[in-house]
Amino acid sequence: MTTLTARPERFASLDMFRGATIFLMIVVNTAGAGGAFTQLQHAPWFGFTLADLIYPSFLFAVGNAMSFALTRPMPEPVFLRRIFKRAALIFLLGMLMYWFPFVTHQADGSWVAKPFADTRLTGVLQRIALCYLLGALLARYLRPSHLAMVAVGLVVAHWAILTGLSPAGEAFGRYKNAGTLFDLWLIGPEHLYKKDHGFDPEGLLGTLPATANVIAGYLTGLAIQRWGKHAATVGRLAAIGAGLVVVALLLSPILPIGKKLWTGSFVALTVGLDLILLGAVLWLVEVRGVTLGRSFLQMLGRNPLAIYLFSELLVVVLELVHVDGVGLYTWIGLNGFQPIAPGPVGSLLCALAYTLVCCAFGWVLDRKGIILKV
């Protein structure tokens, strides 16, 4: 168990890392009409793009924040009540987000209630909730050295289940691997991701290796607090990160890198890159004292859940309003940005403009002192 009792020093770089992650997440999720750049789209199956780094980076940032929260003295009943309540609320918000707007538009122009029976139960926030819960419990009761071994164990367990329980030749396939079969059996296709014909990229089995990303963020947060704001800390983070990237590349021929399955090589690669990127931010902000963008990214990092939910719900509302046969957000992309910059450039400009609108929402909340905590 971690026994730090002194109130830990805050690091602006960690808050900025979280803020940058939520900014890029919105950009990727809300590409405008015209087709996004390849690096801003998720790899179709195996492979890796910039977009694939964002979600595991957010989980890594969740672990960073946990390294500060769990060092405060807290009685056992209070700790358990808080983490289970927080996980349940995040999970519930994820379900409601996919159910929203609770009605569907019919071909005849009418609106009918959207049945819960057709609502997705898995998803981004749901995985965050489960990974947070498992990661917090492990961090509470295990020493950091043991926690690192458990993170490796979760990755190995995921690989063993895929290779040992999937039908022959289907371990790394899309529709018949052990994780997909488990999701179909336990949850059912009507409550899974609708766009991939039965495969869910946020299925339950992927929670195991994804929790390793949270644990890595937690251990990194502890290490930075102990090592301090020094160039030597940056060097250590970069060296460990580079080593993990090499491990991922060496593993990739036998354990392909893939976000949708959240393979062990994907965990090693994303944690390695996050360590390198976080080290770079720490060097710029904590060592060199660069202040450019600090207030903006810290503002985003203080309210990531509220800003993310706003970004997801607003675009749904915009798409409910039809103009010339298409949703309003699509229409804005087609008529407001594509004439100026056709293709992926216009798509990116549209996404950036929308992201700035979401940032403005976060700024208003920040000015009013409103922080969405669950």
Side-chain angles (χ1 to χ4, degrees):
M1 181 192 303
T2 304
T3 57
L4 294 175
T5 56
R7 186 175 182 84
E9 180 185 8
R10 293 299 300 183
F11 285 70
S13 53
L14 298 179
D15 294 329
M16 292 174 68
F17 181 86
R18 183 167 60 249
T21 300
I22 197 66
F23 185 93
L24 291 172
M25 185 179 290
I26 298 172
V27 169
V28 168
N29 288 348
T30 57
F37 286 105
T38 300
Q39 285 300 312
L40 296 180
Q41 301 179 53
H42 295 295
W45 190 239
F46 293 131
F48 188 77
T49 67
L50 173 62
D52 292 330
L53 179 60
I54 296 170
Y55 188 16
S57 296
F58 191 83
L59 290 172
F60 184 86
V62 168
N64 283 162
M66 192 186 298
S67 72
F68 291 88
L70 294 188
T71 56
R72 303 179 189 129
M74 190 183 304
E76 200 76 5
V78 175
F79 165 77
L80 293 173
R81 183 171 65 251
R82 284 186 180 178
I83 66 163
F84 275 96
K85 177 183 176 182
R86 182 170 296 166
L89 286 174
I90 295 173
F91 196 97
L92 178 61
L93 286 172
M95 288 173 50
L96 292 174
M97 186 181 77
Y98 287 119
W99 197 4
F100 182 83
F102 315 115
V103 293
T104 56
H105 192 235
Q106 302 298 299
D108 61 3
S110 63
W111 295 86
V112 298
K114 181 180 179 180
F116 179 75
D118 294 334
T119 300
R120 185 183 179 193
L121 298 183
T122 54
V124 171
L125 289 180
Q126 292 92 317
R127 174 168 285 183
I128 290 173
L130 295 175
C131 291
Y132 163 78
L133 178 62
L134 182 55
L137 289 171
L138 291 170
R140 172 79 175 190
Y141 298 113
L142 296 178
R143 296 181 181 275
S145 58
H146 296 160
L147 198 55
M149 291 188 287
V150 168
V152 174
L154 290 173
V155 170
V156 172
H158 177 257
W159 167 81
I161 292 171
L162 281 179
T163 56
L165 299 182
S166 300
E170 299 291 344
F172 301 117
R174 190 182 298 259
Y175 300 115
K176 295 183 181 180
N177 70 73
T180 298
L181 295 177
F182 181 68
D183 290 336
L184 291 170
W185 170 76
L186 182 65
I187 302 174
E190 66 278 359
H191 289 302
L192 296 173
Y193 187 61
K194 296 294 193 297
K195 297 179 181 179
D196 217 345
H197 311 293
F199 172 80
D200 196 309
E202 277 79 49
L204 293 177
L205 183 60
T207 301
L208 297 180
T211 300
N213 289 82
V214 175
I215 293 173
Y218 173 80
L219 293 175
T220 301
L222 289 183
I224 291 175
Q225 291 172 51
R226 290 169 178 168
W227 294 342
K229 303 176 180 181
H230 308 297
T233 300
V234 175
R236 290 175 181 176
L237 293 177
I240 297 170
L244 286 171
V245 170
V246 171
V247 169
L249 295 177
L250 292 175
L251 284 175
S252 61
I254 57 174
L255 185 58
I257 296 170
K259 172 189 177 292
K260 291 184 183 292
L261 278 181
W262 215 283
T263 56
S265 55
F266 177 76
V267 173
L269 178 61
T270 53
V271 171
L273 292 174
D274 283 335
L275 287 171
I276 294 170
L277 291 172
L278 182 57
V281 176
L282 191 147
W283 182 77
L284 288 171
V285 176
E286 316 289 357
V287 179
R288 301 293 296 177
V290 174
T291 59
L292 181 65
R294 177 183 295 196
S295 298
F296 176 72
L297 292 177
Q298 283 185 297
M299 177 272 293
L300 297 181
R302 281 191 288 269
N303 235 334
L305 181 58
I307 296 170
Y308 173 74
L309 282 171
F310 178 82
S311 72
E312 291 289 317
L313 299 180
L314 177 59
V315 78
V316 170
V317 172
L318 291 175
E319 285 294 273
L320 288 175
V321 180
H322 282 209
V323 181
D324 296 335
V326 297
L328 179 57
Y329 186 70
T330 301
W331 185 89
I332 292 172
L334 288 170
N335 296 276
F337 291 91
Q338 287 302 307
I340 301 171
V345 175
S347 173
L348 176 58
L349 290 176
C350 183
L352 286 171
Y354 180 79
T355 302
L356 290 176
V357 170
C358 298
C359 293
F361 169 75
W363 179 81
V364 171
L365 293 182
D366 198 64
R367 287 294 298 270
K368 293 181 178 295
I370 300 173
I371 305 294
L372 179 59
K373 292 184 178 180
V374 294

